[in-house]
Amino acid sequence: KAGVTQTPRYLIKTRGQQVTLSCSPISGHRSVSWYQQTPGQGLQFLFEYFSETQRNKGNFPGRFSGRQFSNSRSEMNVSTLELGDSALYLCASSLVADTDTQYFGPGTRLTVL
Amino acid sequence: AQSVTQPDIHITVSEGASLELRCNYSYGATPYLFWYVQSPGQGLQLLLKYFSGDTLVQGIKGFEAEFKRSQSSFNLRKPSVHWSDAAEYFCAVGPTGGNEKLTFGTGTRLTIIP
């Protein structure tokens, strides 16, 4: 079974631009979560989607948004990019329940100049 | 609020030596605990997990972890490390019952010397 895939793997943007990242979960998984990883803040939870609905949201500004499609694929969008948004963005999928194990993708490395 | 503490930022061990990475958690109920490993530039790979039952959990790559409720700890161990074990290791607790799906520790970077 294929793992979690994320595209693109690398992105370079400039301040003020917006960006969309994509995540395809493991086949059959219906929950997708997004995390931001930075050297200073570590791994922080952004949000989780299940059956096209946002279930949980971390403590991030409204510039960070996401959505999930009927095939469970998910996208996250960051508008009005700031230098501090430079990070590794990780997507994780799990089957259904809160206690299910999350499996992570390789991440998208976003650099904001 | 839930939290995870990994007190060791960086550990260096010799190849073939034993390893123990520490993890302490704060959680109001019975926690679900995980250890993930991350190689440079890569995503997180699940090593093992504890949900309930036997407090000694076996994982992949020869790793094991022991859940000790009295000490709020979930330390990761390996009897003999290999150079390929060099990576960053994260302990996590979840679900948290709040907005967080998983709460991660700050990670321990493991260096292996010949």
Side-chain angles (χ1 to χ4, degrees):
Chain A
K1 191 179 278 191
V4 178
T5 58
Q6 292 186 245
T7 57
R9 292 292 311 276
Y10 302 92
L11 264 178
I12 300 176
K13 293 286 187 178
T14 57
R15 278 182 300 173
Q17 287 187 309
Q18 74 165 26
V19 66
T20 299
L21 312 181
S22 180
C23 171
S24 293
I26 292 172
S27 178
H29 285 195
R30 295 168 62 188
S31 169
V32 173
S33 298
W34 289 89
Y35 295 82
Q36 181 196 64
Q37 185 178 27
T38 60
Q41 299 299 317
L43 279 153
Q44 293 185 286
F45 171 75
L46 279 157
F47 29 65
E48 180 201 7
Y49 286 87
F50 176 76
S51 291
E52 303 177 63
T53 301
Q54 188 180 85
R55 292 181 68 188
N56 294 300
K57 189 177 191 302
N59 189 26
F60 278 81
R63 300 185 296 106
F64 292 82
S65 63
R67 60 177 175 168
Q68 187 180 33
F69 302 94
S70 58
N71 61 358
S72 293
R73 190 178 69 87
S74 177
E75 289 180 348
M76 68 163 281
N77 183 276
V78 188
S79 62
T80 319
L81 284 166
E82 301 176 359
L83 295 179
D85 297 333
S86 294
L88 182 66
Y89 289 89
L90 293 163
C91 166
S93 76
S94 59
L95 270 171
V96 176
D98 285 337
T99 55
D100 278 337
T101 301
Q102 290 192 283
Y103 296 91
F104 284 80
T108 294
R109 172 73 63 185
L110 171 64
T111 301
V112 182
L113 303 176
Chain B
Q2 61 288 332
S3 65
V4 177
T5 301
Q6 292 181 250
D8 304 305
I9 296 174
H10 185 203
I11 284 182
T12 300
V13 299
S14 299
E15 190 168 14
S18 64
L19 171 70
E20 183 168 26
L21 302 182
R22 295 183 291 166
C23 172
N24 293 96
Y25 67 89
S26 172
Y27 191 71
T30 301
Y32 299 94
L33 295 159
F34 306 83
W35 275 100
Y36 287 88
V37 61
Q38 184 178 37
S39 297
Q42 301 299 312
L44 300 174
Q45 181 183 21
L46 178 70
L47 284 175
L48 47 79
K49 60 187 178 185
Y50 172 77
F51 280 5
S52 65
D54 193 346
T55 56
L56 185 62
V57 180
Q58 301 297 321
I60 62 171
K61 303 185 180 186
F63 285 93
E64 66 177 28
E66 186 171 12
F67 171 61
K68 293 185 177 179
R69 184 187 302 274
S70 61
Q71 299 176 20
S72 296
S73 69
F74 188 57
N75 294 349
L76 182 71
R77 301 193 295 248
K78 186 170 185 178
S80 176
V81 298
H82 185 262
W83 63 267
S84 60
D85 293 325
E88 188 139 22
Y89 291 78
F90 292 92
C91 181
V93 63
T96 63
N99 288 333
E100 301 286 323
K101 181 74 170 179
L102 280 179
T103 297
F104 285 88
T106 50
T108 297
R109 185 160 60 92
L110 175 64
T111 298
I112 309 294
I113 56 176

